[in-house]
Amino acid sequence: MSVFSNSAFDGHEHVAFYHDAKSGLKAIIAIHNTNLGPALGGCRMWPYASDEEALRDVLRLSRGMTYKSAMANLKLGGGKAVIIGNHRTQKTDALLHAMGDFVESLGGRYITAEDSGTSVADMKKIGERTAYAGGVVEGSEHGGDPSPTTAYGTFVGLKAAAQYRLGCSDLQGLKVAIQGVGNVGFRLAKYLHEAGAQLVVSDIFPDNTARAARELGAQVVEGDAIFDQPVDVFAPCALGAIINDETIGRLKAKVIAGAANNQLAEEHHGEMLQSREILYAPDYVINAGGIIDVYYQRTGGSAEALKAHVESIGDTLVQIFDRAAQTHTPTGVVANKIAEERFLKA
Ligand code: NAD
């Protein structure tokens, strides 16, 4: 298994491997860059098919966190952890405690948080062994779940993108297609509904779409039909890689603004969107509400300061859109450049 020559390595500062024989924990923590502050990023638990796959995932994800925190103007670097195992069958208190010991052993260079396969409750368990488990503050408004703040940030960002591309002063009558009305998507739908937007939604769980139809008057479409809707904005809030060779030609929307991670299947899809004059709000910029929330939970900032910080996502996007227009460069490429200017300079 190659580390330094791994194609996802990209100058990582620190990659640590940990095995605890008693609990069966096998985990990797990757710290990409700490120029701006300690590396914060989620801890994913997944039954990876191989150690190579786990390493690639953790390297890729931790690098992404450096860019995300830099763009969100947080004093944080980028890191990530993976636990190799099935979160439904192999997660025990002993395993989470061992993970806490692993995080603690890095002395605060890495701060962990919930991610796919781990929960706020798991972070509390990990936090019994380390001071560096984020998003577990008792009495916080939503019990440590960052989704409500992610949804609010996505709403702010969607509004900024729609105003920029469509010139609308408010969202009254704006048509928005949302793919995935789960934790983030449903809350985003609620904000949009309250602002007067008309919604079309899809989800693989009929309960979720039924709730959006019942409570928000959303139109429901099945499966992939969400890509064909005659809407102003497409908001991906489910899966990654949904902007690809197959879907781009189907989209009628002039704006893509949603919370899903890794929306572009490949980098050149950003160029395709640009040439079709579809304004793309880079995913890691618009969905940064969650990490901003975790940061404020850790540092004890006020609710007002948190809200103001999340609202700055709109200004950041406008800065990206302006530079992309001036330089004829895809918005995702511009976002990466701005992030690099920040964390490399620091
Ligand atoms: P979630 O699991 O609660 O919601 C996702 C929804 O998408 C579910 O309802 C699921 O049924 C639906 N879905 C899955 N496949 C689908 C498909 N093919 N078509 C339509 N719907 C489909 O997850 P979430 O927390 O709401 O996160 C949504 C997205 O936002 C994910 O990509 C996640 O990585 C990203 N994100 C979330 C946060 C956060 O704070 N929760 C932060 C940043 C990014």
Side-chain angles (χ1 to χ4, degrees):
M1 180 168 61
S2 60
V3 180
F4 296 114
S5 56
N6 193 300
S7 60
F9 182 68
D10 190 50
H12 267 74
E13 286 177 13
H14 191 157
V15 184
F17 297 79
Y18 196 81
H19 174 233
D20 177 60
K22 255 194 190 155
S23 64
L25 174 72
K26 279 188 198 158
I28 312 173
I29 293 176
I31 297 175
H32 177 248
N33 187 290
T34 56
N35 284 352
L36 291 170
L40 191 147
C43 173
R44 184 168 279 198
M45 184 161 182
W46 193 255
Y48 292 99
S50 66
D51 297 350
E52 284 79 5
E53 196 189 307
L55 177 65
R56 236 193 106 64
D57 206 32
V58 76
L59 291 173
R60 205 177 45 85
L61 293 166
S62 80
R63 174 182 185 271
M65 292 308 297
T66 301
Y67 284 77
K68 183 173 206 159
S69 286
M71 282 313 289
N73 280 313
L74 295 171
K75 292 190 182 105
L76 291 174
K80 204 85 180 185
V82 294
I83 298 175
I84 302 170
N86 186 320
H87 70 98
R88 289 178 199 271
T89 57
Q90 289 173 275
K91 198 191 286 170
T92 60
D93 287 359
L95 181 133
L96 293 170
H97 279 158
M99 189 64 201
D101 293 340
F102 183 21
V103 172
E104 184 66 19
S105 73
L106 298 176
R109 278 171 55 73
Y110 168 68
I111 301 164
T112 197
E114 64 163 318
D115 205 273
S116 312
T118 61
S119 63
V120 173
D122 297 337
M123 286 306 122
K124 288 189 176 150
K125 268 286 160 231
I126 290 174
E128 288 171 4
R129 298 292 265 266
T130 178
Y132 307 112
V136 295
V137 176
E138 291 297 342
S140 76
E141 206 181 322
H142 37 68
D145 174 10
S147 306
T149 314
T150 302
Y152 182 60
T154 306
F155 171 67
V156 169
L158 187 155
K159 210 161 51 172
Q163 281 171 352
Y164 196 93
R165 176 65 181 85
L166 306 167
C168 50
S169 55
D170 60 34
L171 303 186
Q172 194 66 43
L174 192 83
K175 295 193 179 96
V176 185
I178 306 179
Q179 182 186 40
V181 272
N183 281 324
V184 177
F186 182 75
R187 289 182 170 97
L188 170 67
K190 231 172 146 180
Y191 282 121
L192 290 167
H193 174 69
E194 282 159 14
Q198 291 175 26
L199 305 173
V200 187
V201 300
S202 72
D203 199 290
I204 48 172
F205 290 112
D207 284 4
N208 287 352
T209 47
R211 180 173 62 157
R214 190 175 62 242
E215 295 184 22
L216 312 174
Q219 181 195 339
V220 176
V221 295
E222 297 295 326
D224 272 10
I226 197 74
F227 295 112
D228 307 313
Q229 298 307 306
V231 291
D232 304 300
V233 180
F234 176 58
C237 294
L239 313 164
I242 33 68
I243 307 298
N244 54 44
D245 291 339
E246 200 265 315
T247 57
I248 287 182
R250 292 166 64 179
L251 293 175
K252 316 276 184 298
K254 287 287 168 219
V255 174
I256 298 175
N261 278 315
N262 305 318
Q263 293 172 25
L264 304 184
E266 287 170 45
E267 207 178 305
H268 76 267
H269 293 119
E271 285 156 32
M272 284 173 73
L273 293 176
Q274 187 199 19
S275 67
R276 284 163 197 256
E277 298 185 351
I278 298 175
L279 185 66
Y280 168 61
D283 44 18
Y284 72 86
V285 180
I286 192 169
N287 72 16
I291 183 115
I292 299 173
D293 188 298
V294 172
Y295 179 80
Y296 274 75
Q297 285 188 46
R298 271 202 76 75
T299 53
S302 69
E304 294 72 36
L306 167 63
K307 187 164 183 275
H309 199 137
V310 172
E311 286 173 352
S312 74
I313 288 174
D315 301 333
T316 303
L317 284 172
V318 169
Q319 191 190 338
I320 293 168
F321 298 154
D322 277 340
R323 211 202 278 192
Q326 285 154 11
T327 58
H328 307 287
T329 309
T331 52
V333 175
V334 169
N336 289 349
K337 275 199 187 129
I338 297 176
E340 283 160 10
E341 283 161 16
R342 290 181 186 175
F343 72 78
L344 293 176
K345 208 189 282 172

